[in-house]
Amino acid sequence: MAWFFSDIEPEKFFTFEGEQAKHIACSLRMKIGEELTICCGEYIYPCTIEHIDKSSVTVKVCCRQPCENEPHTAVTLFQAIPKGDKMDYIVQKSVELGVTRVVPFISSRCISRPDEKSLVKKTARWQKIALQAAQQSRRGIIPTVETAVSLEAAAEKASKLESSVVFYECGGEPPASVIKPDAKEIGMFIGSEGGFAPEEIELLRSKGAGVATLGKRILRAETAPIAALSVIMFITGNLG
């Protein structure tokens, strides 16, 4: 069933306009009588299409149900910006797996160093990818992709969370010994292609981050965050 987000809770009827209406009518080619779901965070609303054209789609709301699709652990992915379009993949898959927020950052070993104008465009694209992934995976929220910051600023953001962990390619503790199963907030740091410099690991330690390993094999920049997030979701009981 097609999944759409709305800031306004629908009542008996709801009308989609603009891009959403065009997507329903032209991309999905849905028709009168077909069903879709509107998600408003805490609740979802199964609906049936009553009217449809290229500029607007009106649906009849069938009922209201609790949305039970969100993990009970809010995970923030602090991701060093990789080269090329790898970040597109990272955002998409991390949203599917349940990440709450993505904070790109630039570390000393980042190959990609986009300027401010380029970052504005990239961030807008990443946020659109997050929306599409949230719809596809039937999330209860649209995860936020923030503007890229320095590693120092990212470390400061992470220090305000309940807990944080950096996955270090040169070794660390097993994830289960660093990540608390009952944690409500977790920040996770993943490096770029060149990994982390030793002084960056010390900076993150000084801000309260634990240091964990994903094993002896070195993972690609786009593989590590997906593996790490899967581990966190498993430990916290969000994959069951």
Side-chain angles (χ1 to χ4, degrees):
M1 185 183 296
W3 193 272
F4 296 89
F5 291 95
S6 174
D7 295 328
I8 303 171
E9 291 197 16
E11 296 182 354
K12 293 183 178 180
F13 293 92
F14 184 86
T15 299
F16 293 96
E17 296 178 334
E19 283 193 20
Q20 285 188 320
K22 185 177 180 181
H23 181 63
I24 295 169
C26 301
S27 299
L28 298 179
R29 297 184 179 182
M30 298 186 75
K31 303 189 183 301
I32 292 173
E34 291 192 277
E35 298 177 343
L36 56 79
T37 298
I38 298 173
C39 178
C40 296
E42 188 177 354
Y43 294 100
I44 59 173
Y45 300 81
C47 304
T48 302
I49 296 175
E50 293 276 306
H51 166 82
I52 187 166
D53 58 43
K54 292 182 179 179
S55 61
S56 68
V57 176
T58 299
V59 298
K60 181 179 180 180
V61 178
C62 300
C63 62
R64 184 178 80 163
Q65 301 171 354
C67 180
E68 301 176 340
N69 297 359
E70 281 302 297
H72 55 258
T73 304
V75 179
T76 296
L77 167 59
F78 294 93
Q79 174 67 52
I81 298 178
K83 63 183 180 181
D85 59 358
K86 294 177 183 178
M87 193 69 178
D88 295 8
Y89 177 86
I90 291 170
V91 170
Q92 181 188 65
K93 300 308 174 188
S94 62
V95 169
E96 290 178 19
L97 283 168
V99 80
T100 299
R101 178 173 63 148
V102 179
V103 181
F105 68 88
I106 298 176
S107 64
S108 63
R109 295 182 178 178
C110 280
I111 298 171
S112 176
R113 294 179 177 275
D115 57 29
E116 185 175 349
K117 184 177 180 180
S118 178
L119 272 176
V120 170
K121 293 182 179 179
K122 286 178 180 291
T123 304
R125 185 175 78 246
W126 296 332
Q127 187 62 67
K128 185 175 181 179
I129 290 171
L131 167 60
Q132 293 170 340
Q135 289 178 322
Q136 183 275 322
S137 57
R138 301 187 179 186
R139 293 288 303 271
I141 64 166
I142 305 168
T144 302
V145 182
E146 296 188 1
T147 302
V149 297
S150 64
L151 174 61
E152 291 75 13
E156 191 61 35
K157 285 177 180 282
S159 69
K160 295 177 171 60
L161 300 175
E162 178 186 337
S163 61
S164 59
V165 56
V166 51
F167 289 90
Y168 190 30
E169 68 279 2
C170 292
E173 299 296 318
S177 67
V178 178
I179 299 161
K180 297 179 180 179
D182 59 349
K184 300 301 181 184
E185 288 184 326
I186 298 176
M188 52 175 279
F189 283 84
I190 301 292
S192 63
E193 290 85 356
F196 288 101
E199 59 269 23
E200 292 175 329
I201 295 297
E202 291 309 309
L203 168 66
L204 293 172
R205 282 186 193 272
S206 72
K207 293 295 183 178
V211 180
T213 177
L214 286 172
K216 296 181 179 180
R217 294 171 297 281
I218 301 299
L219 304 180
R220 289 182 177 272
E222 67 271 30
T223 306
I226 310 310
L229 184 55
S230 298
V231 168
I232 288 176
M233 289 300 175
F234 179 76
I235 292 173
T236 57
N238 284 294
L239 283 183

